[in-house]
Amino acid sequence: MLNNRILDHPVLGKLENQKTVTFTFDGILYKGFEGDTIASALLANGIRQLRVHEETGAPRAIYCNIGHCFECRVTVDQEQGVRACMTPVKENMTIESGKLQAAPFKSVPEEWPRTYAEFEQNNKGKKVGVPHV
């Protein structure tokens, strides 16, 4: 936890006498400092990836770190969609990374039409109201 943390900041000074809290992330026990956000506590422990894109599985991490982008969404104590950069870490908090979700379509993005003309060509002769996927 201390290897990835600034302990003597040029403006804020030294971080001394910080109270340690323990929490779990994906079933592994970690330590952070009281007042850390979930994101900063995970970064201090060397954790960069917070979730994967729900459809593609591409890794996601902290992006803006000010609560605007929602890239750092995690599940906290069974509450989904919590922004790690805005939420203080607490003693015994259970945090889970975002996982790949089941796709709502039978096809894959590579098979989707790229233009409306391609969509029309693929669905020529189909009845109106019949699902296209």
Side-chain angles (χ1 to χ4, degrees), residues 36-102:
D36 276 347
T37 63
I38 293 170
S40 66
L42 289 170
L43 282 170
N45 282 283
I47 306 296
R48 300 291 182 258
Q49 181 176 319
L50 301 179
R51 66 182 189 92
V52 296
H53 188 273
E54 294 85 350
E55 294 176 13
T56 65
R60 294 291 191 245
I62 298 167
Y63 183 67
C64 74
N65 207 30
I66 57 173
H68 285 233
C69 72
F70 293 87
E71 285 297 316
C72 64
R73 289 173 287 141
V74 293
T75 300
V76 177
D77 296 329
Q78 299 181 343
E79 181 183 339
Q80 295 180 346
V82 176
R83 289 178 288 178
C85 71
M86 301 297 291
T87 307
V89 70
K90 294 182 180 159
E91 184 68 33
N92 298 322
M93 188 178 261
T94 302
I95 306 161
E96 297 173 30
S97 62
K99 308 285 190 262
L100 190 65
Q101 302 293 315

